[in-house]
C-alpha cells in the first residue's frame, strides 16, 4: 500500500495550501466579524482551478483525481473550515452527481459552469421533519404533463442564497418511502423558489446556511436527475463522497489546532517545523527557555509533551482513515463504511483536539487574536452534518452485522 502523494497530488495540495495562506488567512478577521459569504475569494478559487478539481477536463474541470480533491479540502480547512465546506458541498454533492446520473444535455448545460466556478452548487435534502431520517422527507413533486410542481421546504442548506443550482429531493410517489423520492435540479430564478432566512450559526462564519421555500415551483421533467423514484440512491451515492470531504475538513481543523497549540506551548527551536506549517504565523514565543527552566517547568513541559503526543496520534489516525476512504472512492470501490468511519473519527478528533488545546492554553485561547476559539466552534458541526455521528455508528454497525 502506497502511503505518499503522487507528484500530481502533491502539486494540488501545495496549490491549495499556498492559496489558503496567501488569500484566505488575511481575510479571516473580516469573515469572522461580518459573517458574509466570501464571494470574491470563491471567485479566486475558481481562477486557481480549485472549484472543479476531480471533474474531467472535457467537462471543464482540472482532471485531477479524488485524492487530490480531498487534499485540497484538507489544506483549505487548515486555514478556514468555511472554505472546506463550500468546496466540498459544491463538488461532492453539487457537481459530481451530475456526472454520474445526468443526461448528456444536463451535463452540457451545467457541469462546465460548475467546474469552472462560474456557478456554485448546493444539495437540498434536509427538511424540518427529516434530518437523519432522510427517507421521511415531505416535499412533493407532482407530475403534471411534462412538468413537476414542487411544494415544501428545506432547511440547513449549505451555500443557500449563493448557489446557482440546487440538487433537490422530493417525493413523487407517496407511501413508497425511499423508493418514492426523486432528484430534481432547481435554479433560484424559477417562479415559486425562494431562499428563506439565513441561519446565525455558532461557527463556519462566511458559509451560508439557510432554508428554501418551494411554493408551486414548476420545472420541466427534463430537470429530473436520474429515474423517477431513484433519488434516494442518487443522494446516498453523493453522500459517500461528501462524507469523505467533511472528514477532510475535520482533519484540517484538528491539524490546525494541534500545530497552533504546539507553537504556543513549545516555543523553542526544536519545534520550528510545526511553527512554519501553522497558517497565519502563530508561532509567538511564550514561556521559559530551557536554560532557565525550573524543575516545575520541566515537569509541566513533560506533561504538555505527553498531551500533545496523544493528540498527534489521534490526528495521524484520522489522516490515514480519511485518505484510505479517498483512495477507495477514487478506485471506484465500495466505501460507505470507510467514509462513515473516516467522518466519525476525524470529526470526533477535531472536537477533542480543539477542546484539549483550549484546556492546555487556558484563558489566552479565548482571545480572538488566536485561532483556537474559532477552530473550537467550527469543529463541532463536523460531528453533526453529512449525517450525525450517531447515524454513522449505526452505518458502521450494520456493515459489521452484514459481514
Amino acid at each position: 500500500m502506497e502511503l505518499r502523494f503522487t507528484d500530481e497530488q502533491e502539486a494540488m495540495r501545495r496549490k491549495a495550501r499556498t492559496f489558503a495562506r496567501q488569500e484566505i488567512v488575511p481575510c479571516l478577521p473580516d469573515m469572522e466579524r461580518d459573517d458574509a459569504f466570501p464571494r470574491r475569494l470563491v471567485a479566486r478559487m475558481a481562477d486557481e482551478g480549485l472549484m472543479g478539481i476531480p471533474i474531467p477536463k472535457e467537462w471543464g474541470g482540472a482532471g485531477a483525481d479524488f485524492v487530490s480533491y480531498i487534499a485540497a479540502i484538507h489544506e483549505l480547512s487548515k486555514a478556514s473550515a468555511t472554505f472546506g465546506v463550500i468546496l466540498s458541498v459544491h463538488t461532492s454533492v453539487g457537481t459530481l452527481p451530475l456526472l454520474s446520473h445526468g443526461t448528456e444535455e444536463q451535463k452540457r448545460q451545467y457541469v462546465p459552469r460548475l467546474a469552472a466556478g462560474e456557478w456554485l452548487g448546493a444539495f437540498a435534502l434536509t427538511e424540518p421533519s427529516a434530518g437523519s431520517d432522510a427517507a421521511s422527507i415531505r416535499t412533493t413533486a407532482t407530475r403534471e404533463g411534462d412538468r413537476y410542481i414542487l411544494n415544501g421546504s428545506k432547511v440547513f442548506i449549505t451555500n443557500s442564497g449563493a448557489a446557482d443550482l440546487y440538487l433537490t429531493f422530493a417525493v413523487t410517489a407517496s407511501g413508497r418511502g425511499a423508493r418514492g423520492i426523486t432528484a430534481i435540479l432547481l435554479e433560484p430564478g424559477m417562479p415559486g423558489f425562494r431562499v428563506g432566512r439565513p441561519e446565525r450559526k455558532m461557527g463556519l462564519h462566511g458559509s451560508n446556511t439557510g432554508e428554501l421555500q418551494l411554493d408551486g415551483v414548476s420545472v420541466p421533467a427534463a430537470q429530473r436527475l436520474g429515474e423517477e423514484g431513484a433519488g434516494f440512491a442518487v443522494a446516498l451515492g453523493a453522500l459517500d463522497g461528501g462524507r469523505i470531504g467533511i472528514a477532510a475538513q475535520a482533519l484540517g481543523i484538528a491539524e490546525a489546532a494541534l500545530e497552533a497549540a504546539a507553537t504556543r506551548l513549545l516555543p523553542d527551536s526544536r519545534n520550528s517545523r510545526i511553527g512554519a506549517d501553522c497558517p497565519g504565523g502563530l508561532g509567538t514565543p511564550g514561556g521559559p527557555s530551557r536554560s532557565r527552566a525550573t524543575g516545575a517547568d520541566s515537569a509541566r513541559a513533560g506533561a504538555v509533551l505527553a498531551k500533545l503526543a496523544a493528540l498527534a496520534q489521534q490526528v495521524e489516525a484520522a489522516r490515514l482513515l480519511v485518505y484510505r476512504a479517498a483512495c477507495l472512492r477514487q478506485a471506484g470501490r465500495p466505501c460507505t463504511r470507510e467514509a462513515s468511519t473516516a467522518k466519525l473519527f476525524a470529526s470526533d478528533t477535531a472536537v477533542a483536539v480543539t477542546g484539549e488545546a483550549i484546556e492546555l492554553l487556558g484563558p489566552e485561547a479565548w482571545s480572538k487574536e488566536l485561532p483556537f476559539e474559532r477552530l473550537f466552534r467550527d469543529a463541532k458541526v463536523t460531528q453533526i452534518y453529512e449525517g450525525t455521528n450517531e447515524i454513522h455508528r449505526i452505518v458502521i454497525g450494520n456493515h459489521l452485522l452484514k459481514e
Side-chain angles (χ1 to χ4, degrees):
M1 181 178 178
E2 186 63 67
L3 293 177
R4 67 179 182 87
F5 288 130
T6 65
D7 290 345
E8 293 78 10
Q9 291 163 352
E10 178 64 18
M12 183 60 72
R13 185 185 74 85
R14 288 184 178 277
K15 175 188 278 192
R17 172 180 283 201
T18 298
F19 179 86
R21 291 181 174 184
Q22 294 181 353
E23 304 270 358
I24 295 175
V25 169
C27 296
L28 287 176
D30 290 343
M31 285 179 55
E32 285 299 303
R33 183 188 66 244
D34 301 334
D35 197 11
F37 187 80
R39 293 183 183 276
R40 182 187 66 81
L41 287 176
V42 172
R44 285 287 300 120
M45 286 172 61
D47 293 341
E48 293 293 322
L50 295 173
M51 299 299 285
I53 294 171
I55 309 303
K57 290 183 178 179
E58 58 264 35
W59 292 108
D65 59 21
F66 192 79
V67 171
S68 297
Y69 159 61
I70 292 301
I73 294 176
H74 175 191
E75 288 295 337
L76 292 172
S77 297
K78 286 176 72 173
S80 168
T82 290
F83 287 88
V85 73
I86 289 172
L87 180 59
S88 180
V89 169
H90 166 77
T91 306
S92 292
V93 294
T95 306
L96 287 175
L98 277 159
L99 281 177
S100 301
H101 303 282
T103 64
E104 288 301 307
E105 176 57 33
Q106 287 172 339
K107 287 188 277 193
R108 282 195 300 270
Q109 181 177 358
Y110 293 121
V111 174
R113 295 175 177 176
L114 292 165
E118 296 172 8
W119 280 28
L120 188 66
F123 184 83
L125 178 62
T126 303
E127 299 184 1
S129 60
S132 297
D133 183 13
S136 65
I137 63 171
R138 297 180 181 178
T139 294
T140 59
T142 305
R143 186 70 180 259
E144 293 186 1
D146 62 351
R147 305 185 75 82
Y148 288 101
I149 310 299
L150 277 73
N151 287 282
S153 62
K154 301 291 183 178
V155 293
F156 301 120
I157 306 304
T158 300
N159 295 341
S160 65
D164 304 280
L165 186 68
Y166 294 81
L167 176 52
T168 306
F169 297 86
V171 175
T172 49
S174 61
R176 299 194 63 192
R179 288 179 291 180
I181 295 173
T182 299
I184 297 174
L185 299 167
L186 298 183
E187 298 178 29
M190 294 174 170
F193 184 106
R194 186 174 65 85
V195 176
R197 65 178 180 86
E199 298 289 341
R200 298 184 63 189
K201 308 184 301 297
M202 178 175 79
L204 294 183
H205 291 175
S207 169
N208 281 14
T209 307
E211 62 182 10
L212 308 177
Q213 297 294 333
L214 308 175
D215 185 12
V217 181
S218 177
V219 298
Q223 293 294 109
R224 186 184 69 221
L225 185 68
E227 296 300 318
E228 191 168 291
F232 199 67
V234 172
L236 291 181
L239 287 171
D240 277 349
R243 286 163 178 170
I244 300 170
I246 298 307
Q249 180 200 30
L251 174 61
I253 295 170
E255 280 192 2
L258 177 61
E259 291 174 1
T263 300
R264 300 292 297 182
L265 293 164
L266 307 174
D268 69 7
S269 60
R270 294 186 186 188
N271 200 44
S272 59
R273 186 196 66 79
I274 294 180
D277 281 351
C278 184
L282 297 171
T284 304
S289 67
R290 290 186 180 275
S291 62
R292 298 194 305 272
T294 65
D297 292 331
S298 297
R300 181 181 184 279
V304 168
L305 276 172
K307 284 276 191 180
L308 293 175
L311 297 178
Q313 285 180 303
Q314 290 180 261
V315 171
E316 185 63 23
R319 184 184 297 112
L320 292 172
L321 288 171
V322 169
Y323 282 103
R324 175 172 178 258
C327 286
L328 289 173
R329 179 75 173 185
Q330 178 177 296
R333 295 172 59 186
C335 62
T336 297
R337 184 181 73 171
E338 291 79 6
S340 285
T341 301
K343 193 271 186 186
L344 170 64
F345 190 86
S347 59
D348 282 351
T349 296
V351 171
V353 173
T354 55
E356 191 65 48
I358 290 172
E359 290 285 341
L360 288 168
L361 282 151
E364 71 169 322
W366 287 110
S367 169
K368 289 186 178 292
E369 299 300 315
L370 296 178
F372 300 103
E373 62 90 26
R374 170 176 59 83
L375 293 169
F376 182 74
R377 288 185 286 105
D378 288 350
K380 184 59 188 177
V381 74
T382 64
Q383 293 180 316
I384 299 170
Y385 61 11
E386 291 286 358
T388 66
N389 282 4
E390 287 75 15
I391 291 297
H392 288 293
R393 291 184 177 92
I394 292 172
V395 169
I396 295 165
N398 285 340
H399 276 266
L400 289 174
L401 290 174
K402 290 177 183 178
E403 294 171 2

